[in-house]
Amino acid sequence: YPSCALSPRLDLENNNSRWQLFEKIVSSCNTTNQLLDFYQLVQKWEGFEEETVDNVEKNCILVLAYRLLKLDKEGKDLIKLMANVDVEKFPTNTSELLISHCEDMGQTMLRVKLILQLRLEEKYEEVLEILFDQTSCDHECLGLLVSRGLVSRLVSTPLYHQLVQMVVE
């Protein structure tokens, strides 16, 4: 990991100290892979994520997601991160902040993928409206549509043929 100037007396059993370390490492990471690897380590810090889950300013996943988007505006690795997220550690209000952020960035398809990845069923209608006139989308999005059981809802759209092709393959 990037070097972090840490006090030799830093007590990593204390979640406040862990938070300080977390912030330093997240801001020091220069690649999305570093962030994804770091999150695997953070998941082993007992009680750390749980303590900050309801605080949107300190929700580990949200902080990592924002940093991932700074490094990769397309959000390819953000979807990888979200595929491994325990939904209990990423409440709906936090999900909505991230989806809103993607919308502000003009990343409509990333927003669609996040809604599907996070299983935000109350937003599926919105996803279907966005996709209604799309003639194509990437394999990842198609896979999420299939896994969420939304293929039949897209029968009358230009996307349907591509979905059928993917299922056949």
Side-chain angles (χ1 to χ4, degrees):
Y1 295 103
S3 63
C4 294
L6 299 175
S7 162
R9 294 177 294 186
L10 190 62
D11 176 12
L12 290 180
E13 295 302 315
N14 173 312
N15 277 339
N16 288 330
S17 297
R18 287 181 183 173
W19 178 255
Q20 290 172 0
L21 176 63
F22 177 84
E23 287 183 307
K24 285 180 183 182
I25 291 177
V26 167
S27 64
S28 299
C29 288
N30 295 317
T31 69
T32 57
N33 282 337
Q34 286 174 333
L35 288 165
L36 293 173
D37 290 346
F38 178 55
Y39 182 59
Q40 289 181 337
L41 175 66
V42 168
Q43 288 176 306
K44 295 176 184 169
W45 292 353
E46 192 174 320
F48 181 70
E49 282 185 281
E50 292 78 7
E51 186 175 297
T52 62
V53 74
D54 293 319
N55 180 343
V56 293
E57 292 172 12
K58 286 189 169 186
N59 181 290
C60 296
I61 299 164
L62 186 61
V63 170
L64 285 166
Y66 285 153
R67 181 70 179 149
L68 279 168
L69 286 171
K70 280 189 178 185
L71 297 173
D72 170 30
K73 294 191 183 348
E74 301 293 311
K76 291 180 180 114
D77 285 329
L78 176 59
I79 298 300
K80 286 181 193 173
L81 172 70
M82 292 304 167
N84 298 312
V85 162
D86 177 353
V87 187
E88 291 176 13
K89 294 178 183 167
F90 204 65
T92 304
N93 65 324
T94 310
S95 302
E96 288 177 1
L97 283 173
L98 181 57
I99 289 164
S100 201
H101 183 72
C102 292
E103 186 173 13
D104 293 344
M105 292 175 60
Q107 292 289 353
T108 304
M109 289 311 291
L110 179 57
R111 197 169 127 240
V112 164
K113 290 178 197 178
L114 281 172
I115 290 168
L116 295 170
Q117 184 66 58
L118 295 170
R119 299 178 190 270
L120 300 174
E121 294 179 14
E122 68 280 1
K123 293 195 176 283
Y124 284 0
E125 283 303 317
E126 191 179 320
V127 164
L128 294 169
E129 285 175 30
I130 291 168
L131 295 175
F132 190 79
D133 294 324
Q134 296 287 319
T135 55
S136 68
C137 64
D138 66 26
H139 200 73
E140 188 174 43
C141 186
L142 292 173
L144 287 166
L145 288 165
V146 170
S147 70
R148 301 303 177 254
L150 297 173
V151 175
S152 64
R153 308 269 309 274
L154 293 164
V155 170
S156 63
T157 69
L159 254 178
Y160 185 70
H161 179 71
Q162 190 181 2
L163 281 163
V164 170
Q165 287 300 110
M166 190 198 100
V167 172
V168 170
E169 293 171 359

